[in-house]
Amino acid sequence: MKISIINGPNLNLLGQREPGIYGNQTFEQYFIDLQAKFPQIEFDYFQSNIEGELIEQLHRVGFSFDGIILNAAAYTHTSVGLGDAIKAIDTSVIEVHISNTFAREDFRHTSYLTPNAKGLILGFGMDSYRLAVESFL
Ligand code: DQA
């Protein structure tokens, strides 16, 4: 099984960015543990701060992978293009967020992705990604 993990803007700063909300771990550290937990899965990881690059990555993996886990970060709340890309591809997308966006500012309560995603997992810290992997198994 091939699963693609795609992280959006500012998630390259996990570990140092607002640790009270996002924790102290870098994604790279977490990703090592995740891969060890699921040795049967072939993971691909991509991060970009650029909206168009995230769309292009969805196009690249969206016709051959078995699942996509997408944390589009701030673009979740703004990007019609990412929502359309999820609709355009074959592979199911699970939308994830580290924080509980519904417990935060009002502008984080809107997602352009959820209507086209297979599911939504949020608020479990980094463990949101593991739960998304479990959902594909
Ligand atoms: C986030 C939540 C978004 O609202 C925010 O813009 C992020 C991270 C999360 O994982 O909790 O950058 O997607």
Side-chain angles (χ1 to χ4, degrees), residues 21 97-105 108-109 122-125:
I21 296 175
H97 300 285
I98 297 164
S99 63
N100 177 355
T101 50
F102 290 98
R104 301 179 65 191
E105 302 95 321
R108 295 185 205 276
H109 301 180
L122 57 83
F124 294 94

Side-chain angles (χ1 to χ4, degrees), residues 5 25-35 37 125-131 133:
I5 299 178
Q25 210 176 15
T26 67
F27 193 81
E28 287 70 19
Q29 288 165 339
Y30 176 77
F31 189 48
I32 290 169
D33 294 345
L34 193 69
Q35 286 172 291
K37 211 164 268 167
M126 294 287 232
D127 213 29
S128 296
Y129 293 88
R130 180 190 61 81
L131 293 167
V133 174

Side-chain angles (χ1 to χ4, degrees), residues 12-19 23-26:
N12 54 311
L13 295 183
L14 285 174
Q16 63 184 97
R17 169 196 185 197
E18 301 181 84
N24 296 304
Q25 210 176 15
T26 67

Side-chain angles (χ1 to χ4, degrees), residues 51-98:
E51 184 177 6
E53 288 187 358
L54 297 167
I55 292 171
E56 285 181 349
Q57 183 64 9
L58 284 169
H59 294 176
R60 261 194 294 273
V61 297
F63 296 93
S64 55
F65 276 62
D66 301 297
I68 297 171
I69 297 169
L70 173 63
N71 184 349
Y75 290 139
T76 305
H77 318 299
T78 62
S79 179
V80 174
L82 274 167
D84 282 353
I86 293 172
K87 214 177 201 168
I89 61 179
D90 290 342
T91 304
S92 294
V93 173
I94 304 287
E95 174 184 349
V96 303
H97 300 285
I98 297 164

